Amino acid sequence: MDYISGLNDRQKEAVLHPEGPLLILAGAGSGKTRVLTHRIAYLIEERKIFPGNILAITFTNKAANEMKERVAELLGGDIGYIWMGTFHSICVRILRQDIDKIGYDRSFSIYDRDDQITLMKECIKEQNLNKDIYKERSILGNISSLKDAMISPDTYINQNYNDYYRRNVGELYALYQKKLKQNNALDFDDLIIKTLELFRADPMVLDYYQKKFKYIFVDEFQDTNKSQYELIRLLADKHKNLCVVGDDDQSIYKFRGADITNILNFEKDFPNTKIIKLEQNYRSTKNILNVANHVIKNNSERKDKSLWTDNEEGNLVVVETLPDSQEEAYFVANMIEKLMVEGYKPSDFAILYRTNAQSRTFEEVFIKRGIPYKIVGGLRFYDRKEIKDILAYLKLIQNPVDDISLKRIINVPKRGIGNATMGKIEQYANEVGESIYSVLQKLDDIPDLSTRAKNSIKGFVEIVNNLMRIKEQMSIKDFIEEVLKETNYIKELEKQDDIESRTRLENIREFISVAVDFEVKNPEGNLEDFLATVSLLSDVDKTEDLKNTATMLTVHSAKGLEFPVVFLVGMEEGLFPIFRALDNESELEEERRLCYVAITRAQKLLFITHAKIRTIYGNTSYSLPSRFIDEIPKNLITTTEESSNLGNNKRRLVNIVDRTKRRKNNTVKSQENKDKVQVGTKVNHKKWGIGTVVQIKNKDEDKELVIAFNEPIGLKRLLLSIAPIEIVKGD
């Protein structure tokens, strides 16, 4: 079989590379998997390399299986002798053979996340530490990062001896490792760390595998962390036939420990490295690639390359400015409906955003429009645990006989009210024919409850009763914030301080945005109306066919995927690039790489949208376009009014304009007095009361007011055209 037919010149060069280290810089959509599989097949069939002398490492089981299938298809036979799999699966094979040489039994267990949490709970208890301060998930996240960086417990303790909290984390790390050893168990990070330990402890084992693996392949090399890189370096040290494939412009997993310097400095660690750049893209149009190239060239931490294609010129990239975040969602829905008339299917569309919380607005609009969709890498907004929890609190407060909602949240956050206690309460409620909340008001009548359980329940009932009393006195947004405060829901998540808890906090803040939107549209609406509206949005038919649906996902989740039509939404400063990256050049470059990944997911059409005003995490603010938009030459972009290649492409703004007018009429009083607002004017805000205008700035055709309200509200920035304020008479 000819293993180079159909390949371009650079791909052929990579497949036929003779000996020595090889760095393949594979741009987005450049056919890297094809090159890898053809090179492996070429070595076996043409160079007569024994398959057992080949090691191929990937990051996911899916990628490993795809590689196996393609190599097997090329060779037309069994490839069982090739060692092909993820870092973890390869290390398990090595450790099952020789882990006894470092004091473990070969029948070691591999602990999953639940096992790790159980073990860490034991450690925290044994160290007599406050479990409210030392959260299992947070501590395990710290330990995982330390293992990736190959930092031992003793080293960490010595480095942080004068920091009480960190020193205790180090002590927990040491105890955790001790208990793992006692249980003859490893966690996932240990699989790599213990393989490295084995190689250092027994040079004969290392020598065996160095001789065995004459040719080593590593996919997605830009995603490797320090320990993974060290493993590869050791294994390849004898033959130096290491072929790594990756793209420094797609290194977006720093938060997981990925170290971009592994690929940037590869040839320093492996002298005489042959570097081959795969720059021909088979996925996107010329215009889309030009946009991607102009954005990414602003990064300094990269190897120079520029994607090109023989594909058609294609449409100009559409950059659309929308009045606000909701109109952004309507714009996307309108364009999808229009393009479906022109022959596109729902599955051709992807909506990419920086954070999961952004999906909510699009979900609501898609539900109203009947556009089928699925969420990748996350649950639908209203299916997320934290949203269901908060809704359960609100439903119980509005409707105390809702036993389902009560049972969901009576021990959330944890109050020591277990299943056994709830079983007794529920049984008694059934016997007397009352709701659970009703019988909780008379705890002494319920048999067999411990004093501790009664005290915990009394605290819960007191919170709910108090919230019931004040629900009519506050706006819905303020009331939800009060619920979150009184129940300690936010406080508990903040204590955990890991990626999962931070994501949950973002989603809760976005739920507050739901309340803000509801109040703007329904000034007279109450909690009951709000819950009814949300129920209609969340009670979607779960049995719909998910095969032919539009896809909503974060840019991180989109890596490796491609779609005919991509909507890259929320392209605003502070959102994309994310706010925390604005004053950190390294973080900003990672955000730009993330933007590059997003752009290169598009095959035929790319829409980039940003809103002038965005309500997210409960705050409404004026937004500036992302700096990444400014990095695109004007001749490569258009707006929908200018784009003639999409057919009859007039923007369908009638509904948008009407809705915006209605919103303004609902929220802004004394429109005729707008011109009278000046610095020093006293105004009355619908929620925040009396305030004084202390600054006015021109914003496009609008004005931004800075208004000083009484504490705890303080200074607020509002756009004059939509601010729900009226001038105080006599001012």
Side-chain angles (χ1 to χ4, degrees), residues 671-710:
Q671 290 283 335
E672 67 278 7
N673 291 325
K674 282 199 300 183
D675 293 337
K676 295 181 181 178
V677 175
Q678 52 190 302
V679 173
T681 299
K682 278 194 166 46
V683 294
N684 188 17
H685 188 278
K686 180 173 175 276
K687 294 180 202 165
W688 299 326
I690 303 295
T692 303
V693 178
V694 295
Q695 189 180 69
I696 300 176
K697 287 183 180 178
N698 290 323
K699 287 284 188 182
D700 294 334
E701 297 175 2
D702 207 338
K703 289 184 178 180
E704 180 189 79
L705 309 181
V706 178
I707 305 174
F709 294 97
N710 290 332

Side-chain angles (χ1 to χ4, degrees), residues 45 94 115 130 164 175 231 247 277 310 396 423 459 539 542 584 587 649 654 667 692 720 725:
E45 194 70 17
I94 294 171
D115 296 325
N130 187 333
Y164 180 74
L175 182 58
L231 179 74
D247 183 4
K277 298 177 183 178
D310 282 335
L396 177 65
D539 189 21
K542 302 289 174 61
N584 183 309
E587 296 280 345
N649 204 21
V654 176
T667 59
T692 303
L720 180 59
I725 59 173

Side-chain angles (χ1 to χ4, degrees), residues 136-197:
E136 302 92 13
R137 292 180 185 277
S138 178
I139 303 298
L140 288 168
N142 287 339
I143 290 173
S144 179
S145 298
L146 292 170
K147 287 183 179 180
D148 287 347
M150 299 192 298
I151 298 173
S152 70
D154 287 346
T155 300
Y156 187 73
I157 291 168
N158 291 334
Q159 288 174 346
N160 297 280
Y161 198 79
N162 294 325
D163 184 314
Y164 180 74
Y165 177 82
R166 289 185 178 181
R167 188 171 83 233
N168 280 332
V169 169
E171 298 287 356
L172 287 171
Y173 179 12
L175 182 58
Y176 172 75
Q177 289 303 116
K178 179 182 176 183
K179 285 181 173 291
L180 280 171
K181 181 78 179 289
Q182 288 171 348
N183 293 348
N184 194 40
L186 306 179
D187 63 19
F188 278 96
D189 299 307
D190 278 335
L191 295 174
I192 296 173
I193 294 297
K194 294 300 175 184
T195 303
L196 289 171
E197 186 180 319

Side-chain angles (χ1 to χ4, degrees), residues 367-400:
I367 290 167
K368 290 174 185 174
R369 291 292 185 85
I371 299 172
Y373 71 92
K374 64 183 175 184
I375 303 281
V376 172
L379 294 167
R380 292 169 180 264
F381 184 78
Y382 291 102
D383 285 343
R384 293 166 187 164
K385 177 187 182 299
E386 58 276 14
I387 305 304
K388 285 190 166 186
D389 288 345
I390 303 309
L391 281 171
Y393 270 111
L394 297 177
K395 287 176 182 177
L396 177 65
I397 291 162
Q398 180 63 31
N399 175 25

Side-chain angles (χ1 to χ4, degrees), residues 91-152:
C91 287
V92 168
R93 289 184 70 172
I94 294 171
L95 292 172
R96 289 290 183 208
Q97 291 296 317
D98 293 296
I99 198 172
D100 56 307
K101 294 178 173 64
I102 55 171
Y104 288 79
D105 192 276
R106 292 183 187 180
S107 61
F108 62 87
S109 299
I110 301 172
Y111 276 7
D112 63 16
R113 194 64 169 171
D114 289 340
D115 296 325
Q116 290 177 262
I117 288 170
T118 300
L119 190 61
M120 183 51 69
K121 281 180 179 175
E122 288 182 18
C123 295
I124 292 168
K125 185 176 180 181
E126 196 168 309
Q127 292 290 88
N128 199 27
L129 294 171
N130 187 333
K131 62 182 181 181
D132 292 329
I133 296 173
Y134 296 88
K135 296 285 188 180
E136 302 92 13
R137 292 180 185 277
S138 178
I139 303 298
L140 288 168
N142 287 339
I143 290 173
S144 179
S145 298
L146 292 170
K147 287 183 179 180
D148 287 347
M150 299 192 298
I151 298 173
S152 70

Side-chain angles (χ1 to χ4, degrees), residues 53 199 203-216 231-240:
N53 293 138
F199 287 164
M204 290 181 64
V205 173
L206 174 60
D207 184 63
Y208 169 80
Y209 286 105
Q210 286 178 334
K211 287 177 178 175
K212 175 178 175 59
F213 298 132
K214 294 180 179 177
Y215 291 86
I216 298 174
L231 179 74
I232 296 161
R233 191 191 64 76
L234 281 173
L235 288 172
D237 197 45
K238 186 174 290 293
H239 295 289
K240 302 289 196 300

